[in-house]
Amino acid sequence: MSRVFNFSAGPAMVPEAVLKQAQAEMLDWQGSGMSVMEMSHRGKEFVSIAEKAEADLREIMSIPSDYKILFLQGGASAQFAMIPMNLLGDKTSADYINTGIWSQKAIKEAKRYCKVNIAATMENVGFMRTPKPGELKLNPNAAYVHYTPNETIGGVEFDYVPETGDVPLVADLSSTIISRPIDVSKFDVIYAGSQKNIGPAGLAVVIIREDLIGQAKDNVPAMFNYKIHADANSMYNTPPTYTWYFAGLVFNWIKENGGVEKMAEINFRKARKLYAAIDQSDFYSNSIEERSRSWMNVPFTLANAELDTVFLSEAKEAGLVSLKGHKLLGGMRASIYNAMPEEGVDALIAFMMEFEARH
Ligand code: PMP
């Protein structure tokens, strides 16, 4: 068996140690005589798994006790709708910051429910950077401010947390959650799909300040109502139990490997060396403004796009896969989440330099 370095944006690599643990526990979880996927979600075994996953996430992210953690279905995309459905209350508008494709998807969905005020858009600069704090035109009467701290496709990220005063701040952390320490108390709602830094697809983790729960109108379907999920500890219906368990294994792995502080140190080093390799070459380029460059998703282009196919096929032969850029942007993209070992990035850089020399 040989495993490759997989640069996919998601579903993405998971730590090998976690895969091995899941393999070892596959047929018989801790003497229960069954696989986690065969367990009742109401049984004491699974409830203990679910509680540990939640406690470990709370610990690694230092989530204050007045925030509720929900494990929901529908991925991050369901949150695009659940945010307005649950946070508008009596207000009629919300602020959105447009930094690229994922914020635009959130905006499109919110427009079904409320007036969207675009607090800033980076369209005029080709989404090559995030807005500076002074560029945000926030409405003090907005129900909330929504932003995308890291745009997975564009590879741009915020280097600060917007100040929104009394207006709740909502962040789509799908592609950066648990990649570094953050101060959760600066946010009011954080949500993230699971298939990047957390584990297999199938979950959205929602971290929400408790007093914001309970504002959904009666016409909001039960499955889209935070209060119903919060009151049922995310077990209103059958949750994606195996993904939840697997996410717990990843949280535990982070705990045992130096926490998000250590992840940040390694992630920063990985990103810095990859950007340095791109910048010192005329053959590769990345045009994102330096302060807005993503640590997680590194898009780059080859000076000669005719070489893209050869690049991808030779990279694959070298055990470096899923480097093809998103179809909307073309070029290449290397996603380097927590589970991408530093050796994977070193191997990619070595391959890029060698490819450049040959072509
Ligand atoms: N937001 C961001 C920033 C993403 O990267 C993605 C997925 N790539 C989504 C939302 C959508 O996530 P899901 O597929 O889990 O709905």
Side-chain angles (χ1 to χ4, degrees), residues 147-172:
Y147 84 118
T148 313
N150 183 72
E151 285 281 354
T152 320
I153 296 175
V156 286
E157 72 171 49
F158 281 75
D159 57 347
Y160 65 96
V161 177
E163 276 292 338
T164 59
D166 291 337
V167 179
L169 179 63
V170 180
D172 173 1

Side-chain angles (χ1 to χ4, degrees), residues 25-60:
E25 294 178 343
M26 177 60 78
L27 297 185
D28 176 12
W29 182 82
Q30 298 190 4
S32 64
M34 52 179 132
S35 173
V36 174
M37 70 181 82
E38 299 170 306
M39 286 174 185
S40 162
H41 58 297
R42 313 252 177 234
K44 70 175 188 330
E45 287 96 346
F46 186 76
V47 169
S48 76
I49 289 170
E51 285 175 353
K52 177 164 167 34
E54 181 179 331
D56 283 350
L57 181 62
R58 196 176 284 281
E59 186 181 328
I60 60 177

